[in-house]
Amino acid sequence: MSESPGCRSAVVAALHSDRGSGSVLALAAVCAIVTVATGGVAVVGAGAAHARAAMAADLAALAGADVASGRAGGVPCDVAQSIAQLNGAAMTDCDQNGTVVTVTTSTPYLAFASTASARAGPPGG
């Protein structure tokens, strides 16, 4: 069975045609935009988790320092832990040195944990 020369040239022309390439380019552009947007959402979420951990650490350290200085009653690290929990973080470390309290907190994000530390007390303390 032999092909006619006209049929063969039509097949070759169809294979080398640019017809439909715009659809492929548009699909590639949409995929690239979705990928960049997904990465952006992950980065922004990680930043928000760190901000929550930092806020909880700051507030917990301030509350602990208030207790350590005698302005409020209780045990400094116990008060700091309750303040951290109220702010959506878990306290992972607490250290009291006189009236200075250092607190480390963490908040979960995806499969990771974002941590932050804060120190509170009198100046030069």
Side-chain angles (χ1 to χ4, degrees):
M1 188 186 244
S2 67
E3 295 180 18
S4 66
C7 182
R8 185 169 193 204
S9 64
V11 170
V12 170
L15 290 176
H16 294 301
S17 172
D18 287 338
R19 186 174 181 155
S21 63
S23 299
V24 174
L25 182 62
L27 182 62
V30 167
C31 288
I33 290 170
V34 167
T35 301
V36 170
T38 302
V41 167
V43 169
V44 168
H50 179 72
R52 274 194 317 274
M55 176 196 62
D58 288 342
L59 294 174
L62 287 169
D66 280 347
V67 172
S69 69
R71 291 191 179 130
V75 178
C77 287
D78 291 345
V79 171
Q81 182 172 7
S82 67
I83 296 297
Q85 287 176 345
L86 286 172
N87 285 285
M91 188 173 75
T92 58
D93 188 37
C94 181
D95 182 42
Q96 178 187 359
N97 187 9
T99 57
V100 176
V101 177
T102 304
V103 173
T104 302
T105 61
S106 72
T107 56
Y109 179 69
L110 298 177
F112 305 102
S114 180
T115 62
S117 294
R119 177 186 170 278

